[in-house]
Amino acid sequence: SIIIIGNKNYRKNVINLNYINNTKKKEKNKHLSREMYDKIQSEYNHFISSKDNSIGLTEFKRKLASTIGTTLSNIYEIIKTGLVEVYNYDLTKRIEFSSQVAWDKRTKKSVESNASKRESAKPFIELVIKEFRNPYNINSIDEIIHDFKLNRQSEIEGMTTICTTTFYSYVDKNKIDGFSKDELPVKSKRKSKNEEKEGKTPPKGISIENRPFSPDDRTEFGHWEGDTIVGSSKIENSGAVLTLVERKTRFQITIKCRDRKALTIVKAIKKIKQKYPELKDFQINQIFKSITFDNGVEFSKWEDIQKYLKTICYFAHPYSSYERGTNENGNKLLRKFLPKSCNINSYTENYLMQANELINTKIRKILGYKSSLELFNIELAKLTQAM
């Protein structure tokens, strides 16, 4: 025995065998499919969001492991790698499990090392780009990708998909043929806030400084921002559109006006229930608790607006459009359909309402990939229950 153990060749073989066994990594959770990861996401997020849990988190994970057919330690590891921070539509945050994130961490070492996935995902990438290039598209790349994955799964059935981060990584490295980052919105165009610049005249009515909530506070439904957009200055009587955006849900109301005179705007306000019949069953002051306007002359009859809507009108500081950022973003989306060079009076009411519907039904990252219309209807349902 001593002679055999002391044999150099034998010891060399043992060392080589140990080296092989110690360096070969066994992939964790290899038996779990992507469908099982989605099951974990559904069960875990439902448990976390539930207010009445009859069992503790550890016991829940133990039962989940049994259901999935894996060990408790695997469930702990999978959930740990897939936790992400998600914004609610009122800008508060919550922690959820993302099967996509957990699956990506398991299956790919890096974006660029998985060149084969870039090739297999080509049909999906081309579909996203086609949607993005649509002249009337108002969605970002991120929103398009999530819209396909959440709401239009039948259109991408059988396709290899990628996440937003991967898409932008491919673009940055010029890995997508025929598509460059020049097509994406240029972030550098954003203007910085100039809070020291003062207007020549004070606000027309109650200053935004007297508004009882901060600009970042979107917890209460019913606070709006208002503005008008106009057509080309080179066209006589090119018309205008009154826009009102609810701050919490980003739901937008648009009403076509023949001009931007103060009396015309008051008449447009009085058409709200006619244009939006879903609001007829509610007291108007339940929905319009306040409106923040800019200092345009068209809002000089603000007291009439207050009286009709039974609301409070506030006015932003002159040259401070950032104080109504929600409204400005809504106007930017509407400009996709009403360019600055247009004659608004040449467009029909039906065209304008369809454009506004597209804006209200688009899913938004900031709203947790829900639409403004969906969240607005939720708030109306709450008012119905309270009646």
Side-chain angles (χ1 to χ4, degrees):
S1 297
I2 295 174
I3 295 174
I4 295 174
I5 293 175
N7 183 282
K8 291 182 180 180
N9 290 332
Y10 175 79
R11 284 189 296 168
K12 185 178 180 181
N13 290 338
V14 171
I15 292 170
N16 287 341
L17 185 61
N18 287 338
Y19 177 79
I20 292 170
N21 288 339
N22 288 336
T23 56
K24 184 178 181 181
K25 283 190 175 182
K26 192 175 181 180
E27 185 184 357
K28 289 185 178 181
N29 315 316
K30 191 173 181 180
H31 63 291
L32 298 182
S33 65
R34 176 56 199 272
E35 287 71 22
M36 292 179 179
Y37 271 60
D38 291 339
K39 175 72 172 176
I40 294 172
Q41 173 179 291
S42 174
E43 295 293 332
Y44 178 80
N45 290 343
H46 180 267
F47 176 84
I48 291 298
S49 63
S50 176
K51 296 180 180 179
D52 182 24
N53 295 326
S54 58
I55 60 174
L57 182 58
T58 301
E59 183 61 24
F60 164 77
K61 289 180 178 179
R62 185 175 287 110
K63 289 187 175 183
L64 180 58
S66 177
T67 302
I68 297 298
T70 189
T71 64
L72 178 60
S73 61
N74 275 351
I75 289 294
Y76 267 101
E77 182 66 23
I78 292 169
I79 291 176
K80 181 181 177 181
T81 59
L83 292 179
V84 294
E85 197 174 66
V86 179
Y87 279 98
N88 296 311
Y89 64 86
D90 59 359
L91 294 186
T92 58
K93 298 177 182 178
R94 68 182 188 276
I95 302 297
E96 286 190 352
F97 172 79
S98 169
S99 60
Q100 180 72 49
V101 171
W103 183 261
D104 284 349
K105 286 183 179 179
R106 169 189 154 181
T107 57
K108 63 181 183 181
K109 297 176 182 177
S110 71
V111 172
E112 190 51 34
S113 66
N114 196 354
S116 61
K117 182 171 184 178
R118 178 158 39 89
E119 287 301 314
S120 62
K122 200 170 181 179
F124 177 74
I125 293 171
E126 290 175 348
L127 192 62
V128 170
I129 292 174
K130 181 180 179 181
E131 186 100 350
F132 181 73
R133 285 174 170 168
N134 185 311
Y136 292 111
N137 170 60
I138 54 176
N139 292 311
S140 66
I141 291 291
D142 179 74
E143 289 166 343
I144 292 171
I145 288 175
H146 280 82
D147 189 27
F148 276 122
K149 290 183 178 181
L150 296 174
N151 306 318
R152 302 162 63 182
Q153 295 176 355
S154 61
E155 296 179 43
I156 59 172
E157 187 175 356
M159 290 186 185
T160 300
T161 63
I162 58 172
C163 64
T164 306
T165 303
T166 302
F167 184 95
Y168 279 109
S169 179
Y170 289 163
V171 173
D172 287 338
K173 296 175 182 178
N174 295 318
K175 298 296 183 181
I176 301 179
D177 295 336
F179 188 86
S180 72
K181 50 189 168 186
D182 294 336
E183 293 191 50
L184 299 172
V186 182
K187 296 178 182 178
S188 59
K189 284 187 177 179
R190 237 177 233 185
K191 296 179 181 178
S192 59
K193 298 177 183 179
N194 186 2
E195 297 183 4
E196 296 181 356
K197 187 173 181 179
E198 295 182 0
K200 296 179 181 179
T201 57
K204 289 183 168 50
I206 306 170
S207 171
I208 193 174
E209 294 177 7
N210 296 315
R211 203 170 62 177
F213 54 88
S214 70
D216 296 330
D217 184 0
R218 299 173 185 270
T219 55
E220 186 179 25
F221 172 73
H223 298 286
W224 299 69
E225 294 173 6
D227 195 11
T228 56
I229 64 173
V230 295
S232 173
S233 58
K234 298 179 181 180
I235 302 173
E236 185 178 355
N237 192 24
S238 60
V241 175
L242 170 67
T243 63
L244 298 170
V245 182
E246 202 280 318
R247 285 170 48 83
K248 183 177 181 180
T249 63
R250 274 76 169 182
F251 181 81
Q252 180 166 284
I253 287 175
T254 59
I255 300 175
K256 184 181 175 184
C257 306
R258 68 174 182 272
D259 53 49
R260 200 164 56 157
K261 295 179 180 178
L263 185 59
T264 304
I265 299 303
V266 173
K267 290 179 179 179
I269 290 287
K270 292 181 179 181
K271 292 180 181 178
I272 287 178
K273 283 195 172 184
Q274 173 190 336
K275 297 290 183 183
Y276 295 86
E278 62 268 31
L279 306 182
K280 284 185 177 180
D281 296 331
F282 299 93
Q283 294 294 327
I284 203 74
N285 62 341
Q286 291 179 299
I287 298 170
F288 293 92
K289 295 174 183 175
S290 77
I291 307 178
T292 303
F293 292 118
D294 71 359
N295 276 271
V297 67
E298 67 269 32
F299 300 118
S300 58
K301 291 187 176 294
W302 59 273
E303 290 175 305
D304 292 340
I305 296 173
Q306 275 196 163
K307 184 178 179 181
Y308 177 75
L309 294 179
K310 298 179 176 61
T311 188
I312 302 175
C313 294
Y314 297 102
F315 287 85
H317 294 97
Y319 306 102
S320 302
S321 60
Y322 61 86
E323 292 180 337
R324 299 176 301 97
T326 306
N327 198 190
E328 292 295 324
N329 287 334
N331 289 347
K332 189 186 297 183
L333 293 173
L334 192 58
R335 279 297 187 190
K336 280 273 188 179
F337 306 93
L338 300 172
K340 291 183 178 181
S341 59
C342 77
N343 179 357
I344 291 177
N345 282 330
S346 67
Y347 291 94
T348 65
E349 291 271 6
N350 186 52
Y351 174 84
L352 182 61
M353 293 302 288
Q354 286 181 344
N356 193 64
E357 185 178 358
L358 286 173
I359 294 171
N360 283 333
T361 54
K362 79 185 287 291
I363 66 169
R364 306 192 188 204
K365 181 178 180 180
I366 200 169
L367 301 179
Y369 298 106
K370 298 183 184 300
S371 72
S372 299
L373 178 61
E374 180 182 355
L375 299 181
F376 189 76
N377 285 334
I378 289 173
E379 296 296 336
L380 292 185
K382 291 178 183 177
L383 291 179
T384 303
Q385 293 170 4
M387 290 172 63

